[in-house]
Amino acid sequence: MKLYFSPGACSLSPHIVAHELGLPLTIDKVSNKRTSDGRDFWQINPKGYVPVLELDGGEVLTEGTAIVQYLADQKPEAGLAPPNGTLARYRLQEMLGYINSELHKSYSPLFTPKTPPETREERLEYLRKRYGFIEQTLAGKDYLFGDQFTVADAYLFTVTNWARLVKLDLADFPNLLAFQARVAARPAVQAAMAAEGLTKRAYRVLRACESF
């Protein structure tokens, strides 16, 4: 399998999941809508953004929430996603949907220089409100669903790493900050970040996924 990624973008989430599962994965860095060997990325994903997972049979899978579940189902015994058809799986999808629509998409305008100041402040305030739910969810837990790390945790960690880049103060969310530190310490997370050229000192994201 091959993962098309942009360093630190939402493609970091499936990259982390692949490392957690020990799945063999080739990575291809996309920059300026070109792959590492100069191909037009629009020809790979007409949507124009990462992540993209190219399967061994040639099929292409897009959208991070779908990709992480596909990866998790390759090794269900690892527990990164509950079995299909269970209520627990739907709870996972519920959380993935919340992170995608309420957090991830709210960051996007904050990476755009043309965003008006009033819109920027409104989005920051909206994120603080939505992180309030996450803060409550994490109370007394290591991860979103308790002691078990899941694909939702990989996604939450990835998007929340963008907070300092857009000057979103998370000091009022101690459970969230403890979660971020806990996930950052996982060997698979460190391996994925190192593979993307990311370190604690030099974490750089120029844009969110849709406009890398």
Side-chain angles (χ1 to χ4, degrees), residues 7-183:
C10 56
S11 47
L12 177 61
S13 173
H15 199 175
I16 289 170
V17 170
H19 275 279
E20 288 281 350
L21 296 168
L23 294 173
L25 191 70
T26 301
I27 58 174
D28 194 320
K29 180 179 176 181
V30 179
S31 180
N32 296 319
K33 306 299 182 183
R34 293 283 174 182
T35 65
S36 59
D37 60 1
R39 287 176 295 153
D40 182 359
F41 184 66
W42 288 99
Q43 298 302 312
I44 297 169
N45 182 13
K47 299 173 184 176
Y49 53 78
V50 296
V52 172
L53 185 68
E54 185 177 282
L55 307 182
D56 293 338
E59 291 283 341
V60 167
L61 188 62
T62 65
E63 302 302 330
T65 56
I67 292 171
V68 294
Q69 291 182 78
Y70 175 85
L71 292 172
D73 287 339
Q74 304 313 297
K75 286 193 175 182
E77 67 276 10
L80 266 64
N84 275 304
T86 64
L87 179 59
R89 183 59 170 252
Y90 297 121
R91 291 298 185 196
L92 177 76
Q93 292 171 343
E94 180 181 41
M95 182 59 73
L96 287 170
Y98 183 85
I99 296 169
N100 180 252
S101 62
E102 301 302 312
L103 300 180
H104 182 169
K105 300 304 293 185
S106 294
Y107 274 101
S108 296
L110 298 174
F111 287 98
T112 303
K114 293 182 180 180
T115 298
E118 57 272 21
T119 301
R120 186 174 302 276
E121 185 52 43
E122 185 275 331
R123 287 293 85 187
L124 289 171
E125 185 57 35
Y126 188 85
L127 279 166
R128 283 188 282 268
K129 178 181 178 180
R130 293 310 179 187
Y131 271 121
F133 170 73
I134 297 295
E135 178 72 7
Q136 294 175 8
T137 300
L138 287 170
K141 301 176 185 176
D142 285 345
Y143 304 108
L144 288 166
F145 294 99
D147 296 333
Q148 175 65 52
F149 181 86
T150 71
V151 297
D153 297 300
Y155 192 18
L156 176 61
F157 171 80
T158 295
V159 300
T160 303
N161 263 336
W162 302 338
R164 56 183 169 178
L165 301 172
V166 300
K167 297 180 172 57
L168 173 62
D169 186 0
L170 297 178
D172 291 335
F173 306 101
N175 295 331
L176 177 62
L177 292 176
F179 166 86
Q180 287 296 106
R182 190 176 300 118
V183 175

